Amino acid sequence: MTKPYRLALAVVLTLLAIPAMAANFTLWINGRNGGGQIGNYDSFTYWGPASTAAGVNKKAVNWDGKSHIADQNYLIRNALDCFCTGNNWCYVAVHSAGDLMIGYTMANYGGSTRYKKNPQPDASGTCSNSDGTTQTGWNIKWINVASGAGGGSELADIGSWAVSDVLTQDLKTTTARALYNHNTTRGVWFNMFAGAKGTLYSSVLPGQDDEVVAYHSTGGVSGSSGASFCNPSDWFCNDLNLGTANNEGGSAKWSYHTVKFRDDGESYNHYTNGAWGGIVSVVRTDVVNNAR
């Protein structure tokens, strides 16, 4: 064997012995109505300018925002397989019905066998296997939830949204709460950010709300239907307590759900307004500070 050949072989063997580099990613999962290009993890149309800082290696996990959760869920699993397996870890941020989507994913598929992937998606948003080995579930550090609709919205109950939009059926309060086991998060924390800048037309929503979703949902309160929860300054309903503590009146939050932000100043509504606005702005700031 010649010296150059031995040298080349040594280099190849050395490279093969080096483990794949680990990376962290931040996944943003949209809510109702969607807007981003499905399969394109750089399409942040739903949120705002793609140039805005939104966590390490940010990716937009787009789904259509109007189909049944179960029908579009494969898109979220594709993204989690791509970026949250092998040596790679993810931070996840979701908005509104994105809470229902990630909760459904963790409860029903978080214990499934996943192939480890190379984080290099094709045009459809899928990634190839890295080494043929598998793991259980995904590597997720935490999930930040902006105005989570995991507990449904009374606006869906009364038909305020177009009935042709089948997602509305999933967003009915009793349906959303029965869609999966909200207590099954595979040990991953759901950090809840609850907005409270409601308006007169949102009076159908019980307690404090952000015009679309009430505190019983955005605060991760357990139970089969919604109830009325407010800020401590409101005398007419029970307080939504911060953290994991039971709320005033004794109601509990779902397991691994904690209220990280409660909008005591009633400053944040539901909408991003194409500029990372509303309660999403609070979540984005938290992500920038902690997803590294």
Side-chain angles (χ1 to χ4, degrees), residues 161-185:
W161 293 324
V163 294
S164 61
D165 180 343
V166 296
L167 177 62
T168 299
Q169 305 306 311
D170 288 352
L171 284 168
K172 292 181 177 179
T173 51
T174 55
T175 303
R177 290 170 174 272
L179 193 60
Y180 58 91
N181 186 346
H182 290 57
N183 292 305
T184 303
T185 72

PDB file of all heavy atoms in Angstrom, residues 161-185:
ATOM      1  N   TRP A 161     -67.082  30.824  13.412  1.00  0.00           N
ATOM      2  CA  TRP A 161     -66.179  30.621  12.284  1.00  0.00           C
ATOM      3  C   TRP A 161     -66.899  29.833  11.185  1.00  0.00           C
ATOM      4  O   TRP A 161     -67.897  29.150  11.448  1.00  0.00           O
ATOM      5  CB  TRP A 161     -64.936  29.858  12.720  1.00  0.00           C
ATOM      6  CG  TRP A 161     -64.071  30.643  13.664  1.00  0.00           C
ATOM      7  CD1 TRP A 161     -63.849  31.984  13.649  1.00  0.00           C
ATOM      8  CD2 TRP A 161     -63.333  30.129  14.781  1.00  0.00           C
ATOM      9  NE1 TRP A 161     -62.999  32.339  14.670  1.00  0.00           N
ATOM     10  CE2 TRP A 161     -62.667  31.229  15.375  1.00  0.00           C
ATOM     11  CE3 TRP A 161     -63.152  28.856  15.320  1.00  0.00           C
ATOM     12  CZ2 TRP A 161     -61.830  31.093  16.486  1.00  0.00           C
ATOM     13  CZ3 TRP A 161     -62.332  28.713  16.423  1.00  0.00           C
ATOM     14  CH2 TRP A 161     -61.685  29.814  16.998  1.00  0.00           C
ATOM     15  N   ALA A 162     -66.391  29.904   9.961  1.00  0.00           N
ATOM     16  CA  ALA A 162     -67.034  29.253   8.813  1.00  0.00           C
ATOM     17  C   ALA A 162     -67.202  27.762   9.056  1.00  0.00           C
ATOM     18  O   ALA A 162     -66.242  27.068   9.372  1.00  0.00           O
ATOM     19  CB  ALA A 162     -66.189  29.484   7.562  1.00  0.00           C
ATOM     20  N   VAL A 163     -68.422  27.265   8.893  1.00  0.00           N
ATOM     21  CA  VAL A 163     -68.684  25.853   9.154  1.00  0.00           C
ATOM     22  C   VAL A 163     -68.031  24.957   8.109  1.00  0.00           C
ATOM     23  O   VAL A 163     -67.889  23.757   8.312  1.00  0.00           O
ATOM     24  CB  VAL A 163     -70.200  25.568   9.208  1.00  0.00           C
ATOM     25  CG1 VAL A 163     -70.832  26.272  10.401  1.00  0.00           C
ATOM     26  CG2 VAL A 163     -70.883  26.008   7.914  1.00  0.00           C
ATOM     27  N   SER A 164     -67.633  25.523   6.970  1.00  0.00           N
ATOM     28  CA  SER A 164     -66.957  24.721   5.944  1.00  0.00           C
ATOM     29  C   SER A 164     -65.517  24.412   6.334  1.00  0.00           C
ATOM     30  O   SER A 164     -64.863  23.585   5.718  1.00  0.00           O
ATOM     31  CB  SER A 164     -66.978  25.462   4.596  1.00  0.00           C
ATOM     32  OG  SER A 164     -66.296  26.703   4.703  1.00  0.00           O
ATOM     33  N   ASP A 165     -65.016  25.095   7.350  1.00  0.00           N
ATOM     34  CA  ASP A 165     -63.663  24.900   7.857  1.00  0.00           C
ATOM     35  C   ASP A 165     -63.731  23.780   8.892  1.00  0.00           C
ATOM     36  O   ASP A 165     -64.179  23.994  10.016  1.00  0.00           O
ATOM     37  CB  ASP A 165     -63.193  26.216   8.480  1.00  0.00           C
ATOM     38  CG  ASP A 165     -61.797  26.153   9.053  1.00  0.00           C
ATOM     39  OD1 ASP A 165     -61.297  25.043   9.269  1.00  0.00           O
ATOM     40  OD2 ASP A 165     -61.223  27.214   9.296  1.00  0.00           O
ATOM     41  N   VAL A 166     -63.292  22.566   8.501  1.00  0.00           N
ATOM     42  CA  VAL A 166     -63.488  21.423   9.396  1.00  0.00           C
ATOM     43  C   VAL A 166     -62.661  21.530  10.671  1.00  0.00           C
ATOM     44  O   VAL A 166     -62.978  20.876  11.672  1.00  0.00           O
ATOM     45  CB  VAL A 166     -63.185  20.092   8.680  1.00  0.00           C
ATOM     46  CG1 VAL A 166     -64.166  19.861   7.553  1.00  0.00           C
ATOM     47  CG2 VAL A 166     -61.750  20.038   8.186  1.00  0.00           C
ATOM     48  N   LEU A 167     -61.608  22.353  10.677  1.00  0.00           N
ATOM     49  CA  LEU A 167     -60.851  22.547  11.907  1.00  0.00           C
ATOM     50  C   LEU A 167     -61.743  23.098  13.010  1.00  0.00           C
ATOM     51  O   LEU A 167     -61.533  22.816  14.196  1.00  0.00           O
ATOM     52  CB  LEU A 167     -59.671  23.490  11.658  1.00  0.00           C
ATOM     53  CG  LEU A 167     -58.816  23.854  12.874  1.00  0.00           C
ATOM     54  CD1 LEU A 167     -58.158  22.618  13.470  1.00  0.00           C
ATOM     55  CD2 LEU A 167     -57.767  24.895  12.512  1.00  0.00           C
ATOM     56  N   THR A 168     -62.757  23.872  12.621  1.00  0.00           N
ATOM     57  CA  THR A 168     -63.686  24.426  13.597  1.00  0.00           C
ATOM     58  C   THR A 168     -64.327  23.330  14.432  1.00  0.00           C
ATOM     59  O   THR A 168     -64.572  23.510  15.627  1.00  0.00           O
ATOM     60  CB  THR A 168     -64.775  25.248  12.890  1.00  0.00           C
ATOM     61  OG1 THR A 168     -64.155  26.329  12.193  1.00  0.00           O
ATOM     62  CG2 THR A 168     -65.778  25.820  13.879  1.00  0.00           C
ATOM     63  N   GLN A 169     -64.588  22.192  13.810  1.00  0.00           N
ATOM     64  CA  GLN A 169     -65.170  21.076  14.559  1.00  0.00           C
ATOM     65  C   GLN A 169     -64.219  20.589  15.637  1.00  0.00           C
ATOM     66  O   GLN A 169     -64.636  20.274  16.762  1.00  0.00           O
ATOM     67  CB  GLN A 169     -65.527  19.933  13.593  1.00  0.00           C
ATOM     68  CG  GLN A 169     -66.440  20.326  12.453  1.00  0.00           C
ATOM     69  CD  GLN A 169     -67.708  20.987  12.925  1.00  0.00           C
ATOM     70  OE1 GLN A 169     -68.394  20.494  13.827  1.00  0.00           O
ATOM     71  NE2 GLN A 169     -68.048  22.125  12.335  1.00  0.00           N
ATOM     72  N   ASP A 170     -62.937  20.525  15.329  1.00  0.00           N
ATOM     73  CA  ASP A 170     -61.943  20.092  16.316  1.00  0.00           C
ATOM     74  C   ASP A 170     -61.773  21.110  17.433  1.00  0.00           C
ATOM     75  O   ASP A 170     -61.373  20.764  18.549  1.00  0.00           O
ATOM     76  CB  ASP A 170     -60.580  19.881  15.649  1.00  0.00           C
ATOM     77  CG  ASP A 170     -60.530  18.645  14.763  1.00  0.00           C
ATOM     78  OD1 ASP A 170     -61.501  17.864  14.772  1.00  0.00           O
ATOM     79  OD2 ASP A 170     -59.520  18.477  14.058  1.00  0.00           O
ATOM     80  N   LEU A 171     -62.055  22.391  17.133  1.00  0.00           N
ATOM     81  CA  LEU A 171     -61.828  23.459  18.099  1.00  0.00           C
ATOM     82  C   LEU A 171     -62.998  23.690  19.050  1.00  0.00           C
ATOM     83  O   LEU A 171     -62.911  24.542  19.936  1.00  0.00           O
ATOM     84  CB  LEU A 171     -61.504  24.761  17.361  1.00  0.00           C
ATOM     85  CG  LEU A 171     -60.085  24.835  16.777  1.00  0.00           C
ATOM     86  CD1 LEU A 171     -59.958  26.025  15.833  1.00  0.00           C
ATOM     87  CD2 LEU A 171     -59.048  24.928  17.881  1.00  0.00           C
ATOM     88  N   LYS A 172     -64.084  22.962  18.889  1.00  0.00           N
ATOM     89  CA  LYS A 172     -65.158  23.041  19.872  1.00  0.00           C
ATOM     90  C   LYS A 172     -64.609  22.575  21.217  1.00  0.00           C
ATOM     91  O   LYS A 172     -63.800  21.654  21.282  1.00  0.00           O
ATOM     92  CB  LYS A 172     -66.347  22.182  19.443  1.00  0.00           C
ATOM     93  CG  LYS A 172     -67.059  22.723  18.216  1.00  0.00           C
ATOM     94  CD  LYS A 172     -68.251  21.854  17.835  1.00  0.00           C
ATOM     95  CE  LYS A 172     -68.993  22.455  16.643  1.00  0.00           C
ATOM     96  NZ  LYS A 172     -70.152  21.614  16.247  1.00  0.00           N
ATOM     97  N   THR A 173     -65.026  23.218  22.292  1.00  0.00           N
ATOM     98  CA  THR A 173     -64.386  22.984  23.587  1.00  0.00           C
ATOM     99  C   THR A 173     -64.428  21.514  24.017  1.00  0.00           C
ATOM    100  O   THR A 173     -63.404  20.967  24.429  1.00  0.00           O
ATOM    101  CB  THR A 173     -65.010  23.865  24.674  1.00  0.00           C
ATOM    102  OG1 THR A 173     -66.435  23.720  24.651  1.00  0.00           O
ATOM    103  CG2 THR A 173     -64.660  25.323  24.452  1.00  0.00           C
ATOM    104  N   THR A 174     -65.581  20.887  23.935  1.00  0.00           N
ATOM    105  CA  THR A 174     -65.661  19.497  24.381  1.00  0.00           C
ATOM    106  C   THR A 174     -64.891  18.565  23.435  1.00  0.00           C
ATOM    107  O   THR A 174     -64.291  17.586  23.874  1.00  0.00           O
ATOM    108  CB  THR A 174     -67.123  19.035  24.492  1.00  0.00           C
ATOM    109  OG1 THR A 174     -67.797  19.260  23.239  1.00  0.00           O
ATOM    110  CG2 THR A 174     -67.838  19.788  25.592  1.00  0.00           C
ATOM    111  N   THR A 175     -64.887  18.880  22.148  1.00  0.00           N
ATOM    112  CA  THR A 175     -64.165  18.056  21.174  1.00  0.00           C
ATOM    113  C   THR A 175     -62.656  18.174  21.377  1.00  0.00           C
ATOM    114  O   THR A 175     -61.935  17.168  21.414  1.00  0.00           O
ATOM    115  CB  THR A 175     -64.525  18.461  19.739  1.00  0.00           C
ATOM    116  OG1 THR A 175     -65.941  18.356  19.553  1.00  0.00           O
ATOM    117  CG2 THR A 175     -63.815  17.574  18.726  1.00  0.00           C
ATOM    118  N   ALA A 176     -62.163  19.400  21.491  1.00  0.00           N
ATOM    119  CA  ALA A 176     -60.728  19.620  21.666  1.00  0.00           C
ATOM    120  C   ALA A 176     -60.211  18.929  22.917  1.00  0.00           C
ATOM    121  O   ALA A 176     -59.126  18.320  22.912  1.00  0.00           O
ATOM    122  CB  ALA A 176     -60.437  21.120  21.739  1.00  0.00           C
ATOM    123  N   ARG A 177     -60.980  18.971  23.983  1.00  0.00           N
ATOM    124  CA  ARG A 177     -60.550  18.400  25.245  1.00  0.00           C
ATOM    125  C   ARG A 177     -60.603  16.877  25.246  1.00  0.00           C
ATOM    126  O   ARG A 177     -59.949  16.238  26.073  1.00  0.00           O
ATOM    127  CB  ARG A 177     -61.372  18.990  26.386  1.00  0.00           C
ATOM    128  CG  ARG A 177     -61.036  20.447  26.637  1.00  0.00           C
ATOM    129  CD  ARG A 177     -61.980  21.162  27.594  1.00  0.00           C
ATOM    130  NE  ARG A 177     -61.472  22.504  27.870  1.00  0.00           N
ATOM    131  CZ  ARG A 177     -60.610  22.801  28.834  1.00  0.00           C
ATOM    132  NH1 ARG A 177     -60.182  21.843  29.641  1.00  0.00           N
ATOM    133  NH2 ARG A 177     -60.189  24.041  29.003  1.00  0.00           N
ATOM    134  N   ALA A 178     -61.355  16.311  24.315  1.00  0.00           N
ATOM    135  CA  ALA A 178     -61.454  14.854  24.216  1.00  0.00           C
ATOM    136  C   ALA A 178     -60.639  14.281  23.054  1.00  0.00           C
ATOM    137  O   ALA A 178     -60.602  13.072  22.853  1.00  0.00           O
ATOM    138  CB  ALA A 178     -62.921  14.446  24.043  1.00  0.00           C
ATOM    139  N   LEU A 179     -59.961  15.150  22.297  1.00  0.00           N
ATOM    140  CA  LEU A 179     -59.276  14.721  21.078  1.00  0.00           C
ATOM    141  C   LEU A 179     -58.075  13.824  21.370  1.00  0.00           C
ATOM    142  O   LEU A 179     -57.705  12.976  20.559  1.00  0.00           O
ATOM    143  CB  LEU A 179     -58.835  15.953  20.280  1.00  0.00           C
ATOM    144  CG  LEU A 179     -58.378  15.735  18.843  1.00  0.00           C
ATOM    145  CD1 LEU A 179     -59.508  15.127  18.001  1.00  0.00           C
ATOM    146  CD2 LEU A 179     -57.907  17.057  18.223  1.00  0.00           C
ATOM    147  N   TYR A 180     -57.449  14.019  22.529  1.00  0.00           N
ATOM    148  CA  TYR A 180     -56.298  13.213  22.948  1.00  0.00           C
ATOM    149  C   TYR A 180     -56.128  13.405  24.448  1.00  0.00           C
ATOM    150  O   TYR A 180     -56.803  14.235  25.065  1.00  0.00           O
ATOM    151  CB  TYR A 180     -55.025  13.648  22.210  1.00  0.00           C
ATOM    152  CG  TYR A 180     -54.665  15.108  22.399  1.00  0.00           C
ATOM    153  CD1 TYR A 180     -53.821  15.533  23.421  1.00  0.00           C
ATOM    154  CD2 TYR A 180     -55.205  16.087  21.552  1.00  0.00           C
ATOM    155  CE1 TYR A 180     -53.524  16.871  23.597  1.00  0.00           C
ATOM    156  CE2 TYR A 180     -54.905  17.431  21.731  1.00  0.00           C
ATOM    157  CZ  TYR A 180     -54.067  17.811  22.763  1.00  0.00           C
ATOM    158  OH  TYR A 180     -53.780  19.141  22.944  1.00  0.00           O
ATOM    159  N   ASN A 181     -55.224  12.666  25.056  1.00  0.00           N
ATOM    160  CA  ASN A 181     -54.966  12.795  26.488  1.00  0.00           C
ATOM    161  C   ASN A 181     -53.994  13.952  26.717  1.00  0.00           C
ATOM    162  O   ASN A 181     -52.796  13.820  26.507  1.00  0.00           O
ATOM    163  CB  ASN A 181     -54.394  11.490  27.045  1.00  0.00           C
ATOM    164  CG  ASN A 181     -54.247  11.521  28.557  1.00  0.00           C
ATOM    165  OD1 ASN A 181     -54.331  12.575  29.187  1.00  0.00           O
ATOM    166  ND2 ASN A 181     -54.025  10.366  29.154  1.00  0.00           N
ATOM    167  N   HIS A 182     -54.515  15.080  27.158  1.00  0.00           N
ATOM    168  CA  HIS A 182     -53.692  16.279  27.339  1.00  0.00           C
ATOM    169  C   HIS A 182     -52.643  16.109  28.438  1.00  0.00           C
ATOM    170  O   HIS A 182     -51.681  16.886  28.490  1.00  0.00           O
ATOM    171  CB  HIS A 182     -54.580  17.480  27.667  1.00  0.00           C
ATOM    172  CG  HIS A 182     -55.429  17.947  26.519  1.00  0.00           C
ATOM    173  ND1 HIS A 182     -56.323  17.127  25.869  1.00  0.00           N
ATOM    174  CD2 HIS A 182     -55.527  19.160  25.903  1.00  0.00           C
ATOM    175  CE1 HIS A 182     -56.936  17.821  24.914  1.00  0.00           C
ATOM    176  NE2 HIS A 182     -56.466  19.048  24.915  1.00  0.00           N
ATOM    177  N   ASN A 183     -52.823  15.126  29.302  1.00  0.00           N
ATOM    178  CA  ASN A 183     -51.851  14.880  30.362  1.00  0.00           C
ATOM    179  C   ASN A 183     -50.622  14.119  29.871  1.00  0.00           C
ATOM    180  O   ASN A 183     -49.627  14.029  30.582  1.00  0.00           O
ATOM    181  CB  ASN A 183     -52.490  14.089  31.500  1.00  0.00           C
ATOM    182  CG  ASN A 183     -53.538  14.897  32.243  1.00  0.00           C
ATOM    183  OD1 ASN A 183     -53.262  15.985  32.732  1.00  0.00           O
ATOM    184  ND2 ASN A 183     -54.749  14.363  32.325  1.00  0.00           N
ATOM    185  N   THR A 184     -50.698  13.568  28.664  1.00  0.00           N
ATOM    186  CA  THR A 184     -49.589  12.779  28.119  1.00  0.00           C
ATOM    187  C   THR A 184     -48.712  13.663  27.254  1.00  0.00           C
ATOM    188  O   THR A 184     -48.996  13.906  26.087  1.00  0.00           O
ATOM    189  CB  THR A 184     -50.122  11.582  27.295  1.00  0.00           C
ATOM    190  OG1 THR A 184     -50.979  10.787  28.133  1.00  0.00           O
ATOM    191  CG2 THR A 184     -48.982  10.726  26.795  1.00  0.00           C
ATOM    192  N   THR A 185     -47.622  14.151  27.829  1.00  0.00           N
ATOM    193  CA  THR A 185     -46.701  15.035  27.114  1.00  0.00           C
ATOM    194  C   THR A 185     -45.313  14.420  26.967  1.00  0.00           C
ATOM    195  O   THR A 185     -44.397  15.089  26.489  1.00  0.00           O
ATOM    196  CB  THR A 185     -46.555  16.384  27.835  1.00  0.00           C
ATOM    197  OG1 THR A 185     -45.790  16.194  29.035  1.00  0.00           O
ATOM    198  CG2 THR A 185     -47.922  16.983  28.181  1.00  0.00           C
TER     199      THR A 185
END
